[in-house]
Amino acid sequence: MLNLANNAFTDEQYRKALDLLATLPSARTLQKAAADSNRPKSLLASLFPNHEGPIATAIRILARIEQELSFLPIRVFKSFNFRKPNPNVREKASTQATQALSLLEEASEKGHLEAMYILGMSSLFPPPGASLNATKAFYAFEQHATLTGNSTSQSLVAFIHSTGLQGAVPVDQAKALLWYTFAGLGGDQHAEMSLGYRYFLGVGVSEDCMQALDWYESAAEKSMAHFQAGPPGGRTLPPTPLKLTDLAGGVFGYGASAASSGIMANRPVIKAAQALKTGERWEEVIEYWRFHADRGDMEAAYRLGKIYYHGGMYNTPGGISAGVEGVATVTRDFSQSRMYFLKVARQVWPRDNPAKPNLSKIEDVEQPDRYFALLSAHFLGRMHLRGEGVRQDVKVAKMWFERAAKEGDKESLNALGIISRDGLLDGKSKEDDAIVQFG
């Protein structure tokens, strides 16, 4: 009975910790709170925080000018903090995170296996309000791996052995190789990637390209299976990793490093770093495009649609599914994205008819607007095909794809091929049609 009572108490501690972690504000929320605490909001800006239209845009711009001229004795708009930021939000998050980690630690000491794992993850990848603690993470993962043989925990023990992160343990490549091998044989993809790298370059082992190939191939198969398990057309790739050295122009600075010289100087991360140095903010770039979109600029509206769809300012080469660069990311908003794409597409197709996609097509549209309309049509088709921000509807998706494909959009032809190949419309695969569309 005593053991049962202890187990119930430990489970309760674990659940409370999970609840605390789940209700923590996001890192972006904490950053915004910190920025807002030093940025007064005028009455008019509070009334029009993020609405569309020329009047709202003009008011937001005037509010920004007011902030820049805050040294004047008389303010243009008196500041009323209608949406007053909570100055204690960061302190509350820190207290809440500390409390959650304490509960996890107590449950771990009593042998709660799930708590051990979550404690390790929360210590190595700290939630908002907490700090990295590699030592606590190492011992939590080591204990969990020893008791359960979990391959993820084994892989993370290997990672800390290989790097000596925060001095948690001395760097020991032999132990790292041992733990990585256990994890790789257990199917951990990160361990497979690490082993492939080690055998390819001879890190702690003799160089062996065939061993490296085996490990890389196993990891690649898992990645491809994960990609194809997503919505029609596959998952969108996550933002590319951001190197801190790139933000500084490379190891030797801008122009003196290979990372920012020659053609490398045109990389989005380098351009973004230079823009940040001049004081440019992504909110102001979006405000610029919004200003022009409100005045009928179809390119600006299309750009905003892409920014909100992808969640970033710079697209990664390789098509829509390639995602965005890890620099200059914004919150994805399918609702805003669809609004702007529709605004552009309606210049050419004012009404919808899935049976006759081009029945309402307007022919006398200027070429630039027509071009952005066909690109927007593909995005609208993609959103309906995948159920992104709207109810999934293959018929409506096919309508938009056929509109864009007739204008010569290759991405839309590829999407039509996927619909035909996978029988997404009527459950019957049409491989002959798909071959033509893919070709």
Side-chain angles (χ1 to χ4, degrees):
M1 289 294 292
L2 184 60
N3 285 337
L4 289 174
N6 286 336
N7 289 339
F9 179 70
T10 306
D11 285 340
E12 182 64 23
Q13 286 181 308
Y14 174 65
R15 283 194 293 270
K16 282 183 179 179
L18 292 184
D19 289 341
L20 288 169
L21 291 173
T23 55
L24 279 170
S26 67
R28 192 182 291 272
T29 300
L30 293 182
Q31 291 170 358
K32 187 175 184 300
D36 286 349
S37 64
N38 297 318
R39 186 184 304 153
K41 285 184 169 63
S42 69
L43 169 61
L44 293 177
S46 298
L47 293 175
F48 295 91
N50 195 31
H51 290 78
E52 308 306 321
I55 296 177
T57 302
I59 288 171
R60 288 195 300 273
I61 292 173
L62 287 173
R64 288 181 182 274
I65 294 173
E66 176 198 35
Q67 293 164 21
E68 297 300 326
L69 301 179
S70 58
F71 59 86
L72 294 177
I74 300 176
R75 303 294 295 277
V76 179
F77 301 110
K78 185 178 178 181
S79 291
F80 298 90
N81 283 314
F82 275 79
R83 297 195 302 170
K84 187 175 181 179
N86 184 355
N88 296 319
V89 64
R90 295 177 69 87
E91 290 80 355
K92 287 181 179 178
S94 179
T95 302
Q96 187 171 330
T98 301
Q99 186 180 357
L101 291 174
S102 178
L103 287 169
L104 287 172
E105 199 163 2
E106 289 178 22
S108 299
E109 290 172 355
K110 295 170 184 174
H112 197 287
L113 296 176
E114 289 86 353
M116 289 178 199
Y117 180 78
I118 299 299
L119 175 64
M121 295 299 288
S122 300
S123 300
L124 188 59
F125 306 103
S131 301
L132 170 66
N133 189 327
T135 301
K136 188 178 291 185
F138 175 79
Y139 289 110
F141 284 131
E142 186 181 48
Q143 186 180 14
H144 186 257
T146 301
L147 293 173
T148 66
N150 181 278
S151 60
T152 302
S153 293
Q154 290 170 339
S155 179
L156 291 168
V157 169
F159 167 72
I160 298 175
H161 271 304
S162 69
T163 59
L165 185 65
Q166 282 191 334
V169 292
V171 174
D172 191 327
Q173 299 301 344
K175 287 184 178 179
L177 178 64
L178 178 66
W179 282 101
Y180 272 136
T181 303
F182 286 147
L185 293 171
D188 183 81
Q189 186 179 7
H190 296 288
E192 291 172 340
M193 288 289 293
S194 297
L195 287 166
Y197 180 82
R198 284 168 174 269
Y199 279 104
F200 181 64
L201 294 179
V203 180
V205 294
S206 299
E207 288 185 22
D208 189 331
C209 287
M210 295 310 296
Q211 279 266 43
L213 178 62
D214 287 343
W215 287 116
Y216 276 136
E217 199 170 50
S218 179
E221 287 173 355
K222 288 182 175 67
S223 293
M224 199 62 193
H226 177 72
F227 178 80
Q228 292 178 331
R235 298 180 189 273
T236 299
L237 298 179
T240 57
L242 177 62
K243 295 181 181 178
L244 295 179
T245 53
D246 282 342
L247 292 178
V251 176
F252 302 107
Y254 182 75
S257 306
S260 58
S261 300
I263 61 172
M264 300 295 282
N266 294 320
R267 291 188 303 146
V269 65
I270 301 299
K271 290 182 177 179
Q274 294 304 302
L276 286 171
K277 287 180 181 178
T278 64
E280 185 176 285
R281 291 179 292 186
W282 311 132
E283 295 87 350
E284 293 171 350
V285 175
I286 291 175
E287 194 68 70
Y288 171 83
W289 291 120
R290 196 196 306 273
F291 179 86
H292 287 282
D294 289 342
R295 283 151 185 78
D297 187 326
M298 293 300 104
E299 179 182 0
Y302 170 70
R303 283 179 178 268
L304 282 169
K306 281 183 67 178
I307 288 170
Y308 284 120
Y309 180 85
H310 287 298
M313 309 289 286
Y314 299 99
N315 294 345
T316 303
I320 291 177
S321 292
V324 293
E325 300 284 347
V327 65
T329 57
V330 299
T331 303
R332 295 186 80 183
D333 190 331
F334 289 133
S335 176
Q336 287 268 51
S337 176
R338 182 171 179 270
M339 179 192 72
Y340 282 114
F341 285 140
L342 272 175
K343 183 174 184 176
V344 180
R346 290 300 184 212
Q347 303 300 309
V348 177
W349 299 282
R351 291 179 300 279
D352 294 336
N353 186 336
K356 298 180 180 179
N358 289 293
L359 184 65
S360 66
K361 182 180 176 182
I362 299 174
E363 297 292 347
D364 57 339
V365 177
E366 294 184 4
Q367 184 56 36
D369 289 351
R370 180 183 294 276
Y371 173 69
F372 291 117
L374 77 89
L375 294 178
S376 296
H378 174 76
F379 274 100
L380 289 166
R382 181 180 172 86
M383 294 174 80
H384 281 283
L385 180 66
R386 298 159 67 88
E388 295 171 329
V390 293
R391 182 177 60 84
Q392 189 175 25
D393 191 324
V394 180
K395 284 186 179 179
V396 174
K398 185 170 181 285
M399 173 192 72
W400 285 111
F401 288 141
E402 287 179 341
R403 287 171 168 175
K406 191 169 183 180
E407 298 292 322
D409 183 61
K410 294 179 181 178
E411 290 257 28
S412 293
L413 280 169
N414 183 69
L416 288 170
I418 291 173
I419 292 174
S420 299
R421 180 197 65 193
D422 297 342
L424 298 179
L425 195 61
D426 55 9
K428 299 176 182 178
S429 177
K430 300 179 179 64
E431 293 185 358
D432 292 341
D433 291 346
I435 289 172
V436 173
Q437 290 157 339
F438 285 140

